[in-house]
Amino acid sequence: MPRTQHSTIMMLLPGLVGLLLVLTAEARVGDSSQLQFCTETEECLLFDPICQINDLEVRNYSSVKWVSTSESSMLMEFAAMNMFRRLFDYIRGSNDQGVVIDMTSPVLMNMPQKSWWQTGVFTMSFLLPDKYQKSPPKPTDGKVKVHDTPDMTVYVLSYSGWMTTSSINNAFGQLFTQLDAIGAKYRKDTRYAAGYNSPMTIMDRHNEVMVVVEGKPACPSQD
Ligand SMILES: *[C@@H]1O[C@H](CO)[C@@H](O)[C@H](O)[C@H]1NC(C)=O
């Protein structure tokens, strides 16, 4: 009897190992040492690199959960202060479990499509650490929500320095110019700006702007 049990386990083992690999590959919030530009938090949003187009990158992101809040404003800088405070309160314990949650990277900003003088809705998101991805603590502030980003393929342009309205607009301008020059198709309705550094960091700051690929990414052919 123990013998049959043993061989049953041996037969199941390859399947279990396979399952474990799949689960590991699905954990898309992970150790920051895997990302050279993610240096200030223990966990970061990970991705699969797909290809490089000049100085643009194509990446695959898996669906992940974020805690988010929105604010209407003319300037990102004004909106950001209120949004950051609300999200910071959430990770400091303003949630139904009263738990303190580690900061992760990047902080994501969803930028409205608008002219500079218009008011638009900005959304800021903190990425939930791996241990809270399955069942995030519920926010106690009604303006703070948990939301998912779907699996997505994105075009990314990285730049250094500070994340300001003008640096973000400038980076998006460069991203769109380069994508339009090669006839790449992308969604116009979602514009993400990602920041990887605290405001206290002076050197080696890393920021990104990204848009979602429509159809197949315009990767250079392999030959
Ligand atoms: C990237 O995502 C696309 C669309 O979901 C998928 O077809 C492709 O296989 C993915 N590539 C990798 C390397 O994960």
Side-chain angles (χ1 to χ4, degrees):
M1 175 62 185
R3 196 181 186 84
T4 27
Q5 243 175 20
H6 186 245
S7 57
T8 308
I9 289 173
M10 292 310 281
M11 272 163 54
L12 286 175
L13 208 56
L16 288 176
V17 171
L19 185 64
L20 214 64
L21 285 177
V22 169
L23 290 177
T24 316
E26 284 296 299
R28 304 311 295 164
V29 182
D31 188 339
S32 60
S33 63
Q34 296 180 54
L35 276 191
Q36 166 224 323
F37 51 78
C38 197
T39 53
E40 298 187 23
T41 58
E42 241 164 69
E43 287 188 358
C44 297
L45 180 60
L46 303 178
F47 56 83
D48 291 321
I50 304 299
C51 73
Q52 186 91 24
I53 312 169
N54 304 315
D55 49 349
L56 306 185
E57 285 171 71
V58 178
R59 297 177 182 165
N60 267 16
Y61 283 103
S62 302
S63 176
V64 280
K65 286 192 167 63
W66 306 75
V67 60
S68 306
T69 190
S70 297
E71 184 85 10
S72 272
S73 185
M74 194 175 84
L75 266 188
M76 183 277 286
E77 283 81 348
F78 294 150
M81 283 189 286
N82 286 331
M83 294 191 291
F84 193 91
R85 186 184 39 75
R86 258 179 242 142
L87 297 178
F88 197 69
D89 284 348
Y90 169 84
I91 66 169
R92 298 314 292 171
S94 297
N95 53 68
D96 68 342
Q97 296 175 25
V99 287
V100 175
I101 299 171
D102 280 345
M103 188 75 199
T104 57
S105 303
V107 170
L108 198 65
M109 185 85 85
N110 199 334
M111 306 294 292
Q113 239 183 306
K114 68 178 201 67
S115 300
W116 68 265
W117 68 86
Q118 294 171 318
T119 296
V121 177
F122 295 82
T123 301
M124 185 186 274
S125 305
F126 285 5
L127 177 68
L128 285 152
D130 189 42
K131 73 185 263 206
Y132 295 115
Q133 278 288 320
K134 281 239 165 64
S135 48
K138 291 195 175 55
T140 47
D141 181 341
K143 287 184 170 172
V144 177
K145 307 261 187 274
V146 170
H147 98 280
D148 299 82
T149 43
D151 288 343
M152 56 185 184
T153 308
V154 292
Y155 293 115
V156 184
L157 179 72
S158 298
Y159 69 100
S160 59
W162 301 88
M163 252 175 87
T164 62
T165 295
S166 77
S167 78
I168 291 172
N169 286 342
N170 183 38
F172 273 118
Q174 287 180 39
L175 177 63
F176 297 152
T177 303
Q178 294 196 40
L179 290 175
D180 294 343
I182 57 169
K185 299 264 182 295
Y186 53 93
R187 288 181 55 160
K188 308 280 197 290
D189 58 348
T190 313
R191 300 177 174 189
Y192 293 116
Y196 288 80
N197 304 98
S198 97
M200 263 72 87
T201 306
I202 308 293
M203 303 293 288
D204 295 326
R205 298 183 58 85
H206 181 90
N207 315 293
E208 297 166 348
V209 289
M210 52 180 102
V211 286
V212 177
V213 173
E214 225 167 49
K216 274 208 180 321
C219 289
S221 60
Q222 301 297 318
D223 34 68

